[in-house]
Amino acid sequence: MDAIVLLRDDHKTVEKLFKQFEKTGDEDTDERRRIADRVVEELTVHAWIEEQIFYPAAREAAPDTTDHILESIEEHHAVVWMLSEIKGMDAADERFKAKMSVLMENVRHHVEEEEKEWFPDVRKAMGRNRLTELGEQLEAEKPKAPRDPLVVPSADSR
């Protein structure tokens, strides 16, 4: 599978989870916890494979995207921080829904920038064969990627 298609599929999966979360009522704390746990796992894996495999390859193939990639790494850092807080929070906590809302806003902004502003440049620079090869690498790395945001090293420590 093409790397950009795979990453967009991840984005769609998370957006579906966000919509499910937004439909829950304040009394649905068990459902909110279940959805939040899936969001934590999905986004942790996604950030990991992007930073370990996709971003370095994109930066090499399309050097003009470097600023976007560096900004994306910083956005990931903020998201992973929020994920680690959400993971440890009680879903009945009065701040839980607010924290999830801020997470959703940040992720939606990040996704929009990636998909509209720099994925097209990366696609053009890499071409179909390289993106397919990269997609295979991303898929192979997913099972090995951390699922716990508390074990994801920050960009500063890499």
Side-chain angles (χ1 to χ4, degrees):
M1 174 185 294
D2 174 313
I4 291 174
V5 171
L6 181 143
L7 296 174
R8 282 189 168 151
D9 284 351
D10 284 357
H11 295 165
K12 289 175 190 170
T13 296
V14 171
E15 181 59 30
K16 285 178 189 171
L17 291 168
F18 288 169
K19 288 184 187 302
Q20 288 173 14
F21 187 90
E22 289 170 331
K23 289 179 184 173
T24 62
D26 289 338
E27 70 286 349
D28 296 332
T29 57
D30 289 344
E31 180 68 359
R32 282 184 176 172
R33 176 79 268 159
R34 185 192 66 74
I35 294 167
D37 287 345
R38 286 224 28 234
V39 166
V40 167
E41 183 174 326
E42 291 286 339
L43 288 175
T44 301
V45 169
H46 180 81
W48 178 261
I49 64 171
E50 275 192 326
E51 289 187 32
Q52 297 301 309
I53 299 165
F54 185 74
Y55 289 174
R59 190 172 182 180
E60 183 180 324
D64 290 350
T65 65
T66 295
D67 287 344
H68 288 291
I69 291 167
L70 293 173
E71 183 180 325
S72 290
I73 289 169
E74 295 309 318
E75 289 172 347
H76 281 184
H77 179 71
V79 165
V80 167
W81 179 260
M82 283 186 274
L83 293 174
S84 68
E85 290 183 341
I86 289 165
K87 182 177 176 62
M89 264 182 119
D90 183 335
D93 186 304
E94 68 178 357
R95 293 176 52 221
F96 188 79
K97 181 181 175 189
K99 195 169 290 286
M100 280 293 294
S101 294
V102 171
L103 173 75
M104 290 185 282
E105 287 172 19
N106 278 292
V107 170
R108 285 171 171 153
H109 167 80
H110 174 80
V111 165
E112 184 175 350
E113 281 186 344
E114 275 189 347
E115 291 188 358
K116 292 185 178 163
E117 293 180 23
W118 65 276
F119 275 4
D121 294 337
V122 172
R123 176 172 296 291
K124 188 176 179 182
M126 284 193 180
R128 182 181 306 160
N129 291 340
R130 177 66 179 121
L131 284 169
T132 300
E133 176 186 299
L134 199 56
E136 290 169 5
Q137 285 180 275
L138 294 173
E139 280 188 283
E141 190 65 25
K142 271 189 169 191
K144 303 175 209 167
R147 267 114 181 102
D148 184 344
L150 296 173
V151 300
V152 175
S154 72
D156 297 338
S157 67
R158 287 185 217 146

